[in-house]
């Protein structure tokens, strides 16, 4: 059978989770997905798809700081070195493995081949980084040109990604629709507030501590999912708050559907899942991450979600009321004709 490598970046869980539906569609079309990643993303996909083959890639070791854009800029030589390492791992794997007909990279710069059709998935052709935006966008688009196609996980009419995905450059880009592993269910709303956290440390833990402090005296039923993928699932409860270290897709789908309001980061994959489930949400963008700040503000302006910056959550999180615009959106099935590039159709 024909194999397709699918390689999400390990930066939070968003890149890995939005690949779940693609992996499932590949299986339906009788391809064998080979998962290539590292860290938390790799552990998550191993639990989601325990029977698949896995390839461990070098880590980009992404971390946040007060000056994220400059940190990433000055770490560019380190990133480029990691890209070379993952390209070497890929080439060795391709040399030793038969029947590889395609590669799908979700923001992994070095996972492409001149001999095999290679897809790049991203919602941000333009990388927002303040005064460095023209530079970071230029280099990102140079990377995209190394791939045969660029898939943008967005609805071409809604354009939730806004200016992030707009480009007049010929990057062989295609809008492929809303990528979400979830389906809407009409369940009893048993959970008042569901908090979903993931992403690099120490920001994730810092926000968790703030939110637990805010809600500890609440009369509402609170669920917190930490996004820490460990060997076993752990659940602890204290008064009104239940904390779970991680949930796999089926359980998380049910939990979100059973929640009145979601509190989470403004990660793009989380936004797509909330849109697909038609849920109310408060978005708290990661500090110093321009992409999340832009998305949160843009979607609040459109009336889809409410935006709260992390500095003001102590004052603003108490008010959970949301006046939300109805989103004219119907989730479509994934267009499997996109796999034609892999000569499987």
């Amino acid at each position: 059978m024909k194999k397709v490598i699918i390689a999400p970046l390990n930066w939070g869980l968003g890149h890995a989770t939005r690949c779940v539906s693609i992996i499932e569609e590949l299986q339906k079309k009788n391809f064998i997905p080979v998962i290539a990643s590292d860290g938390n993303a790799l552990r998550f996909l191993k639990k989601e798809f325990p029977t698949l083959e896995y390839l461990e890639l070098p880590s980009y070791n992404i971390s946040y700081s007060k000056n994220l854009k400059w940190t990433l800029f000055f770490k560019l030589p380190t990133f480029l070195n990691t890209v070379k390492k993952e390209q070497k791992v890929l080439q060795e794997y391709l040399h030793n493995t038969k029947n590889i007909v395609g590669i799908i990279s979700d923001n992994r710069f070095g996972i492409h081949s001149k001999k095999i059709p290679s897809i790049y998935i991203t919602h941000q052709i333009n990388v927002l980084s303040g005064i460095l935006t023209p530079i970071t966008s230029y280099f990102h688009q140079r990377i995209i040109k190394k791939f045969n196609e660029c898939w943008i996980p967005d609805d071409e009419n809604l354009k939730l990604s806004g200016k992030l995905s707009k480009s007049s450059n010929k990057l062989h880009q295609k809008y492929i629709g809303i990528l979400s592993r979830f389906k809407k269910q009409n369940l009893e709303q048993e959970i008042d507030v569901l908090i979903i956290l993931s992403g690099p440390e120490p920001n994730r833990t810092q926000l968790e501590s703030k939110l637990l402090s805010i809600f500890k005296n609440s009369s509402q039923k609170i669920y917190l999912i930490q996004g820490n993928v460990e060997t076993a699932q752990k659940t602890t409860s204290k008064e009104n708050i239940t904390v779970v270290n991680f949930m796999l897709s089926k359980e998380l789908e049910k939990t979100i559907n059973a929640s009145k309001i979601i509190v989470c980061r403004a990660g793009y994959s989380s936004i797509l899942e909330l849109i697909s489930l038609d849920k109310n949400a408060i978005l708290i963008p990661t500090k110093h991450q321009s992409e999340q700040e832009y998305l949160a503000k843009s979607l609040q302006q459109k009336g889809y979600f409410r935006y709260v910056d992390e500095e003001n959550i102590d004052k603003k999180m108490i008010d959970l009321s949301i006046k939300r615009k109805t989103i004219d959106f119907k989730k479509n099935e994934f267009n499997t004709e996109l796999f034609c590039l892999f000569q499987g159709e």
Side-chain angles (χ1 to χ4, degrees), residues 207-223:
L207 180 57
E208 176 183 318
S209 298
K210 288 182 180 180
L211 291 173
L212 287 175
S213 177
I214 290 169
F215 287 112
K216 67 180 180 181
N217 296 319
S218 171
S219 60
Q220 297 170 306
K221 185 175 182 180
I222 312 295
Y223 257 67

Side-chain angles (χ1 to χ4, degrees), residues 6 22 68 78-80 86 94 117 124 143-144 162-163 181 195 205 217 220 223 247 303 305 320 328 331 343:
I6 183 159
I22 295 179
L68 176 64
T78 303
F79 290 158
L80 293 177
E86 66 179 3
L94 294 177
Q124 49 177 333
I143 291 165
I144 294 172
K163 65 183 180 182
R181 54 195 163 139
I195 303 168
T205 298
N217 296 319
Q220 297 170 306
Y223 257 67
M247 286 186 183
F305 303 111
L320 296 173
D328 184 17
K331 184 180 177 183
Q343 303 171 355

